[in-house]
């Protein structure tokens, strides 16, 4: 029986990474952009149920919740070929739509105001799972929504689901001219240390360097570095999706971090 994992995508960066991740998973499992299985993929022994669930009409829907305080990225998703893949009830965009202005406190306080709506979405998704194993959070710790709202979600998840694992894919920023960026990072850091079980550090500088040195791309775009991140995410979850001898569930992957609970980066 697969242990389900719910993916939370927060902010501009988190949603862009998440979109690439689901494209990658669909390609690996033979699911088309509408969510239906391709003919060649019907015989596989893979566990699609870990990250997807099946609707009544047999099409696969990602166990993903998309949160953002500004509509731009979500709007581009709704106009993309993968628009019909997601459950529209799992998409949350703030009514104000003004974003968090690269400010951790703004993201955190706006998340507090819509706490009930957000937690209802998470509870509904968790109730739909047979044996939920944990949550995966994708976000950036430099901006406003990813860091502020992401921090709030980490605290709430830890409080409401203390027995469930929380793994994050956190994009760490390169040097920028945004004055409050170091503050956003430090405030997010505390929540990642206290409330997450494992943090996969995605260093922006390193991603650009890999794209330049290894892939020989002169001017790497955000889309290209995001596809690198999605490759890392799909590779690190391969053992959960394809049954083997080792690391068949998330706790198996994270077990080596147990002796040092705060040092899980």
């Amino acid at each position: 029986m697969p242990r389900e994992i719910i993916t939370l995508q927060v902010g501009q960066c988190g949603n862009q990474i998440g979109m690439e991740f689901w494209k990658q998973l669909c390609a690996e499992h033979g699911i088309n952009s509408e969510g239906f299985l391709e003919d060649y993929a019907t015989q596989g022994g893979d566990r699609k149920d870990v990250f997807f669930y099946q609707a009544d009409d047999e099409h696969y829907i990602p166990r993903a919740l998309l949160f953002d305080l500004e509509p731009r990225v979500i709007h581009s998703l709704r106009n993309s070929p993968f628009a019909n893949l997601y459950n529209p009830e799992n998409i949350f965009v703030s009514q104000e739509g003004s974003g968090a202005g690269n400010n951790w406190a703004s993201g955190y306080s706006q998340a507090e105001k819509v706490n009930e709506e957000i937690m209802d979405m998470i509870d509904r998704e968790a109730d739909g799972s047979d044996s939920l194993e944990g949550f995966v959070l994708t976000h950036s710790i430099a901006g406003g929504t990813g860091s502020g709202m992401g921090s709030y979600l980490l605290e709430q998840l830890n409080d409401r689901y203390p027995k469930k694992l929380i793994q994050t894919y956190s994009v760490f920023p390169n040097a920028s001219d945004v004055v409050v960026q170091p503050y956003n990072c430090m405030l997010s850091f505390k929540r990642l240390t206290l409330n997450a079980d494992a943090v996969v550090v995605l260093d922006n500088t390193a991603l650009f360097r890999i794209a330049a040195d290894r892939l020989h791309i002169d001017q790497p775009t955000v889309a290209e570095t995001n596809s690198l991140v999605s490759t890392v995410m799909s590779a690190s979850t391969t053992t959960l999706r394809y049954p083997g001898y080792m690391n068949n569930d998330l706790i198996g992957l994270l077990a080596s971090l147990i002796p040092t609970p705060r040092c899980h980066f």
Side-chain angles (χ1 to χ4, degrees), residues 64 88 153 159 218 223 225 234 264:
L153 279 172
D159 188 43
D218 293 334
T225 53
S234 67
H264 51 242

Side-chain angles (χ1 to χ4, degrees), residues 7 12 15 62-63 76-77 107 156-157 172-173 197 215 226 250 257 261:
T7 308
Q12 177 186 345
N15 280 304
R63 296 180 192 278
S76 69
L77 170 80
Q156 292 299 311
L157 288 174
F172 282 59
D197 294 295
L215 306 176
N226 284 351
L250 199 55
L257 301 171

Side-chain angles (χ1 to χ4, degrees), residues 88-105:
E89 290 179 2
N90 286 0
I91 297 175
F92 172 83
V93 181
S94 168
Q95 294 295 320
E96 294 168 15
S98 55
N102 275 343
N103 187 316
W104 183 93

Side-chain angles (χ1 to χ4, degrees), residues 155-188:
E155 291 177 349
Q156 292 299 311
L157 288 174
N158 213 6
D159 188 43
R160 191 170 292 209
Y161 300 98
K163 295 275 197 300
K164 304 299 180 196
L165 296 169
I166 302 173
Q167 182 184 20
T168 76
Y169 289 87
S170 305
V171 176
F172 282 59
N174 40 15
S176 154
D177 47 6
V178 178
V179 183
V180 291
Q181 187 171 283
Y183 299 100
N184 296 342
C185 295
M186 285 311 297
L187 289 160
S188 306

Side-chain angles (χ1 to χ4, degrees), residues 104-228:
W104 183 93
S106 172
Y108 192 90
S109 64
Q110 285 189 57
E112 264 181 322
K113 288 174 191 163
V114 292
N115 169 39
E116 274 188 32
E117 204 175 331
I118 292 173
M119 294 316 290
D120 284 350
M121 288 168 68
I122 294 173
D123 290 341
R124 189 188 67 238
E125 200 63 30
D127 292 343
S129 313
D130 292 333
S131 90
L132 177 67
E133 178 157 40
F135 301 91
V136 164
L137 176 77
T138 63
H139 67 140
S140 148
I141 66 166
T145 309
S147 65
M149 195 180 201
S151 298
Y152 185 76
L153 279 172
L154 281 171
E155 291 177 349
Q156 292 299 311
L157 288 174
N158 213 6
D159 188 43
R160 191 170 292 209
Y161 300 98
K163 295 275 197 300
K164 304 299 180 196
L165 296 169
I166 302 173
Q167 182 184 20
T168 76
Y169 289 87
S170 305
V171 176
F172 282 59
N174 40 15
S176 154
D177 47 6
V178 178
V179 183
V180 291
Q181 187 171 283
Y183 299 100
N184 296 342
C185 295
M186 285 311 297
L187 289 160
S188 306
F189 242 137
K190 182 186 174 189
R191 273 77 186 177
L192 289 174
T193 308
L194 296 177
N195 299 310
D197 294 295
V199 177
V200 179
V201 176
L202 302 163
D203 178 23
N204 234 343
T205 318
L207 290 170
F208 278 104
R209 201 166 56 236
I210 290 168
D213 297 351
R214 293 271 180 268
L215 306 176
H216 307 297
I217 302 167
D218 293 334
Q219 295 288 321
T221 63
V222 176
E224 284 160 346
T225 53
N226 284 351
S227 70
L228 264 181

Side-chain angles (χ1 to χ4, degrees), residues 24-46:
Q24 182 88 7
L25 288 201
C26 286
E28 289 186 18
H29 289 292
I31 296 168
N32 66 19
S33 60
E34 298 290 317
F36 292 100
L37 258 188
E38 301 283 11
D39 296 337
Y40 61 80
T42 50
Q43 302 300 320
D46 51 346

